[in-house]
């Protein structure tokens, strides 16, 4: 109302001069943004882009890559179980990608946890393992090897959260407080989510307690629907502003097209001016542009949100009061001082896409670590069938050049060093990053790696010559008399001395022999 009233009071003589000045200013802004975008596409990383747009990063966290072109410091710290020693994992080069080989070498023969994720910004808002809070006890760090992924053509590791895992910094510098504007994004995964509270990244309370409405300003990603309606099945990018996960000012979704974002790699973005406006965006981190799912007033569901009352801590993986039942994946994220422009957001998304998260490993068709392959059955009935996942279970089904993209992706696996024994192998899903084939009650399933010794053992298989003289048979690491076998189109670990139906001796040697070949998914 006040803007319309002011415009009516501008005199006829003054209005043309103002319009001329505004037009000139707009042209200068457009030119500068065009120049910045061109430079950003060539040389700038996310925090360079936001800094050039006048909204510098006050936090920049990643386990996969540098977020400033000039950054050449550590990304994160790992601690190994065997002797509690710690080391920092840095970059292959300034502005480049994580030196995953350094982690592999340091953690060889044992397991490691990520104990600290360093802030690449000059603010040094480093994240350490979160302590107890109002809704959750002491957290642990994520297993360092649970989420291998390709980025920039290099193998790196994301951070895979499996509940009761979280990081925090309660004594930050430069992070928005008491209604100051800010923005943030993170790269996460739409295939590793649940409906528990709260997989967050962003601004939280400084005492690990719920201190009231508007005391948080954090990204949330998951399938928890706090306010109705929630369209589709999710997962959704939401704003955790404390005492609610918001998709709009009314709480629930006002966007019927926003049914969730299930891409293997997701860009999630929130910005909030701290007074009367916030916006949510999402996108495919592998291709395309951002989508705005909400842009409008602060929540009207209760007092305390307009203005906001942020406290300035940073949380990752839990809610502000350490509600820590959620699962999720984290690859990178930043927080800014000031409200980022849409142009800067778009340039950051373009840079993220250029990373090529989840891209080809460069090796195919073999059982060497890092190779992508598909496994074909050799039983006479089923020589056109391949081992794939379907509704979380391992099955065999026909796959051919005419099959759907989903079928081809479900039948493609990435060979990893055995999670329990590096001389054996584990199979990571190509389209569900961080999910592995593992047996449970002898049935083989696709599940996210939780870092436990039981999971590591269940997901490790040792290759031997094919029992029927073709290809390879895969012996279970922790049940060494049992082999990976298809039976009635489902997949189990089995041996002929067992008492289950899938332990039948009929065609056992054929059913346990697999041919490793070129991957169906590119």
């Amino acid at each position: 109302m006040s803007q319309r009233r002011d415009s009516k009071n501008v005199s006829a003589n003054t209005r043309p001069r103002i319009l001329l000045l505004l037009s000139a200013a707009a042209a200068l802004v457009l030119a500068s943004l065009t120049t910045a975008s061109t430079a950003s596409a060539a040389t700038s990383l996310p925090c360079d882009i936001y800094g050039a747009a006048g909204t510098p990063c006050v936090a920049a966290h990643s386990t996969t890559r540098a977020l400033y072109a000039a950054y050449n410091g550590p990304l994160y710290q790992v601690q190994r179980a065997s002797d509690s020693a710690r080391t920092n994992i840095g970059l292959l080069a300034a502005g480049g990608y994580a030196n995953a080989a350094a982690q592999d070498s340091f953690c060889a023969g044992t397991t490691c946890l990520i104990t600290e994720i360093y802030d690449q910004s000059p603010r040094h808002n480093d994240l350490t393992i979160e302590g107890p809070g109002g809704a959750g006890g002491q957290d642990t760090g994520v297993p360092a090897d649970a989420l291998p992924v390709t980025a920039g053509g290099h193998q790196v590791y994301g951070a895979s959260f499996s509940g009761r895992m979280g990081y925090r910094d309660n004594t930050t510098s430069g992070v928005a407080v008491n209604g100051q504007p800010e923005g943030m994004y993170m790269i996460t995964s739409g295939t590793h989510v649940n409906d528990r509270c709260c997989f967050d990244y962003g601004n939280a309370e400084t005492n690990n307690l719920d201190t009231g409405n508007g005391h948080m300003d954090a990204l949330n990603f998951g399938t928890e629907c706090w306010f109705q309606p929630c369209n589709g099945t999710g997962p959704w990018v939401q704003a955790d502003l404390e005492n609610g996960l918001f998709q709009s000012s009314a709480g629930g979704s006002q966007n019927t097209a926003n049914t969730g974002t299930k891409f293997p790699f997701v860009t999630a973005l929130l910005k909030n001016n701290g007074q009367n406006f916030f916006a949510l965006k999402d996108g495919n981190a592998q291709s395309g542009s951002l989508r705005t799912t909400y842009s409008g007033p602060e929540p009207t569901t209760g007092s305390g949100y307009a203005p906001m009352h942020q406290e300035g801590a940073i949380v990752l993986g839990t809610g502000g009061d350490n509600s820590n039942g959620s699962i999720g994946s984290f690859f990178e994220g930043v927080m800014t001082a000031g409200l980022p422009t849409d142009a800067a957001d778009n340039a950051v998304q373009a840079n993220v896409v250029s990373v090529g998260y989840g891209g080809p490993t460069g090796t195919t068709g073999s059982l060497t670590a890092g190779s992508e392959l598909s496994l074909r059955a050799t039983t006479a009935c089923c020589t056109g069938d391949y081992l794939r996942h379907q509704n979380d279970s391992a099955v065999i089904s026909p796959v051919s050049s005419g099959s759907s993209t989903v079928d081809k992706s479900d039948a493609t696996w990435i060979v990893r060093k055995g999670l329990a024994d590096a001389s054996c192998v584990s199979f990571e899903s190509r389209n569900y990053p961080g999910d592995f084939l593992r047996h449970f009650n002898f049935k083989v399933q696709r599940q996210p790696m939780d870092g436990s010794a039981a999971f590591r053992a269940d997901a490790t298989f040792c290759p031997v010559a094919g029992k029927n003289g073709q290809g390879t048979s895969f012996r279970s690491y922790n049940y060494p008399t049992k082999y990976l076998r298809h039976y009635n189109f489902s997949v189990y670990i089995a041996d002929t001395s067992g008492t289950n139906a899938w332990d039948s001796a009929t065609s056992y040697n054929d059913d346990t022999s697999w041919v490793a070949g070129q991957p169906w998914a590119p």
Side-chain angles (χ1 to χ4, degrees), residues 128-381:
T128 55
I129 296 173
E130 187 170 1
Q138 174 67 46
D139 291 321
T140 65
V142 301
D145 62 341
L147 188 48
V149 64
T150 301
H154 302 277
Q155 181 186 304
V156 295
Y157 291 100
S160 180
F161 294 74
S162 299
R164 295 184 295 280
M165 299 176 181
Y167 298 85
R168 199 176 189 114
D169 183 358
N170 283 339
T171 56
T172 63
S173 169
V175 179
V177 295
N178 295 322
Q180 292 177 329
E182 64 182 338
M184 63 202 74
Y185 84 86
M186 70 171 167
I187 306 304
T188 182
S189 176
T191 65
H192 183 211
V193 295
N194 68 0
D195 61 356
R196 302 289 301 280
C197 184
C198 290
F199 189 71
D200 289 353
Y201 174 67
N203 198 320
E205 294 93 342
T206 57
N207 60 1
N208 295 27
L209 301 174
D210 177 351
T211 55
N213 295 353
H215 284 247
M216 288 188 68
D217 185 25
L219 272 165
N220 174 268
F221 191 66
T223 57
E224 182 178 10
C225 180
W226 191 290
F227 298 105
Q228 293 292 337
C230 293
N231 299 309
T233 58
W236 305 280
V237 175
Q238 303 180 94
D240 188 344
L241 307 181
E242 194 52 280
N243 298 316
L245 303 178
F246 293 86
Q247 295 190 43
S248 72
S249 60
S253 177
Q254 297 177 342
N255 183 348
T256 57
N258 181 20
T259 58
T261 307
K262 295 181 172 65
F263 301 117
F265 299 91
V266 172
T267 305
L269 187 146
L270 163 67
K271 52 188 180 183
N272 192 329
N273 74 359
Q275 300 296 313
N276 55 18
F277 168 85
F278 78 103
L280 294 164
K281 301 180 183 182
D282 64 22
N284 184 346
Q286 294 178 304
S287 66
S289 58
L290 294 170
R291 172 184 69 161
T292 299
T293 58
Y294 174 77
S295 179
E298 300 280 15
T300 56
T301 58
S303 61
Y305 299 111
M308 295 285 291
H309 301 280
Q310 313 103 302
E311 296 186 25
I314 301 175
V315 69
L316 171 60
T318 74
D321 59 0
N322 194 25
S323 296
N324 57 8
S326 60
I327 65 175
S329 302
F330 180 84
F331 302 95
E332 63 180 75
V334 311
M335 299 173 66
T336 68
L339 193 74
T341 64
D342 289 338
D345 293 338
N346 293 339
V348 167
Q349 167 68 359
N351 176 262
V352 167
V353 169
S354 74
V355 169
Y357 275 113
T361 63
T363 305
T364 60
S366 74
L367 288 170
T368 57
S371 178
E372 297 168 303
L373 54 69
S374 293
L375 292 172
R376 181 176 60 82
T378 63
T379 311
C381 66

Side-chain angles (χ1 to χ4, degrees), residues 412-496:
T412 299
W413 306 92
I414 304 173
V415 180
R416 302 297 186 188
K417 291 181 180 179
L419 293 172
D421 183 340
S423 67
C424 300
V425 298
S426 294
F427 295 105
E428 184 189 12
S429 169
R430 179 70 169 78
N431 56 345
Y432 278 68
D435 280 21
F436 289 79
L437 282 180
R438 61 91 56 102
H439 64 81
F440 185 79
N441 287 338
F442 307 118
K443 183 171 175 57
V444 179
Q445 306 170 46
R446 188 211 74 233
Q447 289 186 355
M449 210 283 258
D450 62 11
S452 67
F455 188 104
R456 291 178 182 278
D458 291 349
T460 299
F461 303 92
C462 301
V464 300
K467 285 184 169 293
N468 68 352
Q470 300 181 61
T472 305
S473 293
F474 297 97
R475 177 175 55 81
S476 167
Y477 170 78
N478 53 348
Y479 287 84
T481 64
K482 296 182 182 293
Y483 289 79
L484 201 64
R485 181 203 190 159
H486 65 86
Y487 181 83
N488 283 346
F489 305 106
S490 292
V491 180
Y492 304 87
I493 58 167
D495 69 82
T496 55

